Amino acid sequence: MKIVLLGSGNVATQLAKALKAVGEEVVQVYSPNLNHAQFLANLIETKAVSDLNDLEQNADLYIISVKDDAIAAVARSLKNVNGLVVHTSGTTDINTLSSLVKNAGVFYPLQTFSKGKEISFVNIPLCIEAGNEDQLTVLTNLASKLSAKVYPLDGEKRKVLHLAAVFACNFPNHLYTLANEILNQNDLDFEIIRPLIAETADKVMSNLPENVQTGPAVRADENTLNKHMSMLTSMPGLQNIYQTLSDSIKLTLK
Amino acid sequence: MKIVLLGSGNVATQLAKALKAVGEEVVQVYSPNLNHAQFLANLIETKAVSDLNDLEQNADLYIISVKDDAIAAVARSLKNVNGLVVHTSGTTDINTLSSLVKNAGVFYPLQTFSKGKEISFVNIPLCIEAGNEDQLTVLTNLASKLSAKVYPLDGEKRKVLHLAAVFACNFPNHLYTLANEILNQNDLDFEIIRPLIAETADKVMSNLPENVQTGPAVRADENTLNKHMSMLTSMPGLQNIYQTLSDSIKLTLK
């Protein structure tokens, strides 16, 4: 399959490497910034373009992996292609594309990508959507080459998943940041708390989180809760979060 | 070293197994509930007692691993022993013990323990405190047998660590629970989000969390934030948490 990759951010970069690794032919990488396009193109030994007019018109698949609000602008340049055009966004409707191109789909990897952090695609859930069964088969086949976890999902469910991902990924990472803030203020290093973070995530790989909740709130240990609240007096933002989340944990108690 | 273990909960259980694994001699397991004491004693092939009057008086080390508010009551029965008496609590002062026994210390494993989830002690930070250098050496030697990460820490720093652990462990686990609630309401399985949770924790093993924050809040993507808030209209508790944590993430932006 001839693939054109539009984008050069974290998702595009990891996807490009994964596609190359399974032997797929990425014939072009596009970015409005030629340096960015060239950097990624070099990584996977292909051509870079920075002008939408230079896009290959006869590819089988176009993967648009740019910021959500830039998807439509990029898609407009693909209105004449016969290949399948997909975006990689969790929150963007398939209709954003189907109103602009002939054959539209979605190819959403449910994962958190950061430059410089290598990641294996094998365990990444790939959520796909297409306008008809044939297109879905094309995406299923490609996704199955990259990952063992392929989920055909409509746009509504994909949006729900994206929201759940904020709770399961973005918010926990921010709480790690706040924990680090507390540690640093007391000359303690983040390193000391890393094993706890790893085990907390590892526990829910084989359990449901509601069954392995620990800590003062789930024990209704008011003594410790009060001590912690008073330790946070000088950090009102953290105190508010402590109260809000502890109250929410208590609501799960029968 | 002859060790008496007082307690039969999650921490006591994992500690008992770890002590046995490194060849330490646990001579008794105490619990007020004889069945609990016996169950754990059987696991590590030692004796169970349920009466504080039956405690071995000549052990080298007594490890009190019971609920915080039960520590003092248990310690009172050890007022005549010459061995070192430690508790495993993150929030309890060493003075709670030193006012009741001859030789007091702290042996706090910074980890989240659940029954039925096996765990290797090698990576668990063990935070120790003692009344003098000799006692600290005893605890350091024991801790070093169990773990590669031994931290002598005073009570103030240990309390800070315990507070940070709530942010790094208890709260993230609760957010996993809320993510699961959102998924279940929409007939999606928790399994789909597990790889994301694993990667989110894995990223901060080699990075600081503030450098790998992702999601709509850190991008100041108001469009997605508003969409998510409106999706949570029927779940006001989650909506409040979404707002509170997103606001807190935005505060980290320069």
Side-chain angles (χ1 to χ4, degrees):
Chain A
M1 215 163 40
K2 279 170 67 175
I3 301 174
V4 171
L5 184 60
L6 302 104
S8 62
N10 293 335
V11 177
T13 301
Q14 303 288 344
L15 197 50
K17 290 183 195 173
L19 288 167
K20 183 176 166 68
V22 299
E24 289 293 337
E25 187 191 4
V26 179
V27 295
Q28 276 183 336
V29 171
Y30 160 81
S31 167
N33 179 318
L34 185 60
N35 286 338
H36 293 175
Q38 193 63 59
F39 183 84
L40 181 50
N42 287 348
L43 272 185
I44 59 165
E45 299 171 320
T46 191
K47 279 169 287 187
V49 292
S50 61
D51 185 335
L52 290 169
N53 295 315
D54 295 337
L55 287 179
E56 165 69 46
Q57 295 292 301
N58 297 312
D60 303 295
L61 179 65
Y62 296 80
I63 303 178
I64 302 178
S65 188
V66 299
K67 281 188 183 144
D68 290 359
D69 55 12
I71 292 173
V74 171
R76 270 184 208 104
S77 66
L78 298 169
K79 62 179 187 293
N80 295 322
V81 306
N82 292 314
L84 186 53
V85 179
V86 300
H87 69 65
T88 60
S89 163
T91 49
T92 306
D93 208 276
I94 191 174
N95 293 334
T96 301
L97 289 182
S98 22
S99 59
L100 298 169
V101 301
K102 293 180 191 167
N103 299 296
V106 178
F107 196 88
Y108 168 53
L110 177 63
Q111 191 49 281
T112 170
F113 298 97
S114 302
K115 271 183 185 156
K117 169 79 166 73
E118 290 297 319
I119 190 165
S120 160
F121 253 73
V122 174
N123 287 314
I124 298 180
L126 295 176
C127 306
I128 56 175
E129 186 182 4
N132 64 45
E133 281 302 313
D134 286 352
Q135 294 165 350
L136 196 65
T137 302
V138 170
L139 291 182
T140 302
N141 290 344
L142 178 66
S144 303
K145 278 192 185 181
L146 296 171
S147 168
K149 299 176 183 192
V150 180
Y151 296 90
L153 280 189
D154 66 31
E156 284 313 305
K157 287 223 195 301
R158 190 174 64 250
K159 282 174 204 168
V160 165
L161 200 52
H162 186 264
L163 172 60
V166 172
F167 280 83
C169 163
N170 306 149
F171 290 165
N173 187 77
H174 181 59
L175 291 167
Y176 306 156
T177 298
L178 300 182
N180 192 26
E181 212 172 300
I182 294 168
L183 293 173
N184 287 173
Q185 281 214 348
N186 293 275
D187 299 318
L188 288 162
D189 196 272
F190 188 66
E191 177 59 25
I192 197 172
I193 214 155
R194 283 189 165 123
L196 179 65
I197 289 172
E199 173 66 12
T200 302
D202 196 50
K203 268 166 74 160
V204 298
M205 294 303 113
S206 50
N207 294 282
L208 288 177
E210 51 266 44
N211 297 334
V212 293
Q213 182 69 47
T214 55
V218 78
R219 292 196 308 268
D221 176 353
E222 296 296 335
N223 189 19
T224 300
L225 291 169
N226 291 336
K227 275 190 209 167
H228 283 172
M229 283 296 283
S230 68
M231 286 170 77
L232 291 170
T233 308
S234 66
M235 304 170 106
L238 274 70
Q239 200 180 42
N240 178 35
I241 289 169
Y242 190 95
Q243 181 83 63
T244 302
L245 290 174
S246 294
D247 287 350
S248 178
I249 291 171
K250 286 189 207 165
L251 286 179
T252 65
L253 299 173
K254 271 97 203 170
Chain B
M1 216 161 41
K2 278 170 68 175
I3 302 175
V4 172
L5 185 60
L6 301 103
S8 61
N10 293 335
V11 178
T13 301
Q14 304 288 343
L15 198 50
K17 290 185 195 172
L19 287 167
K20 184 176 166 68
V22 299
E24 290 293 338
E25 188 190 3
V26 179
V27 295
Q28 275 183 335
V29 171
Y30 161 82
S31 165
N33 179 320
L34 185 60
N35 285 338
H36 293 174
Q38 194 63 59
F39 183 84
L40 181 51
N42 287 348
L43 272 185
I44 59 165
E45 298 170 321
T46 190
K47 278 170 289 188
V49 291
S50 61
D51 185 336
L52 289 169
N53 295 314
D54 294 338
L55 287 179
E56 165 70 46
Q57 295 291 302
N58 297 311
D60 303 296
L61 179 65
Y62 296 81
I63 303 178
I64 302 178
S65 187
V66 300
K67 280 187 184 147
D68 290 359
D69 54 14
I71 291 173
V74 171
R76 270 186 208 103
S77 66
L78 298 169
K79 62 178 187 295
N80 295 321
V81 307
N82 292 313
L84 186 53
V85 180
V86 301
H87 69 64
T88 59
S89 164
T91 49
T92 306
D93 208 275
I94 191 173
N95 292 335
T96 300
L97 289 181
S98 22
S99 59
L100 297 169
V101 302
K102 294 180 191 168
N103 299 296
V106 178
F107 196 88
Y108 169 52
L110 176 64
Q111 192 47 281
T112 170
F113 298 97
S114 302
K115 273 186 182 152
K117 170 79 167 75
E118 290 299 319
I119 190 164
S120 160
F121 253 74
V122 173
N123 287 313
I124 298 180
L126 295 177
C127 307
I128 55 175
E129 186 181 4
N132 64 45
E133 282 302 314
D134 286 350
Q135 294 166 349
L136 196 65
T137 303
V138 170
L139 292 182
T140 302
N141 290 344
L142 179 66
S144 302
K145 278 192 184 181
L146 296 171
S147 169
K149 300 177 183 189
V150 181
Y151 297 89
L153 280 190
D154 66 29
E156 285 312 305
K157 287 222 195 301
R158 191 175 62 251
K159 283 174 203 169
V160 164
L161 200 51
H162 187 264
L163 172 61
V166 173
F167 281 83
C169 164
N170 306 149
F171 290 165
N173 187 78
H174 180 59
L175 291 167
Y176 305 156
T177 299
L178 300 182
N180 192 26
E181 211 172 302
I182 295 168
L183 293 173
N184 286 173
Q185 281 215 348
N186 293 275
D187 298 318
L188 289 162
D189 196 273
F190 187 65
E191 177 60 23
I192 197 172
I193 214 155
R194 283 190 166 121
L196 179 65
I197 289 172
E199 173 67 11
T200 302
D202 196 52
K203 268 165 74 160
V204 299
M205 295 302 113
S206 50
N207 294 282
L208 288 177
E210 53 264 44
N211 297 333
V212 292
Q213 181 68 48
T214 56
V218 78
R219 290 195 310 268
D221 175 354
E222 296 295 335
N223 189 18
T224 299
L225 291 169
N226 290 337
K227 275 190 210 169
H228 284 172
M229 283 296 283
S230 69
M231 285 169 78
L232 291 169
T233 307
S234 66
M235 305 170 105
L238 275 70
Q239 200 180 41
N240 179 34
I241 289 169
Y242 190 96
Q243 182 84 60
T244 302
L245 290 174
S246 294
D247 288 350
S248 179
I249 291 171
K250 285 189 208 165
L251 287 178
T252 65
L253 299 173
K254 271 97 200 167

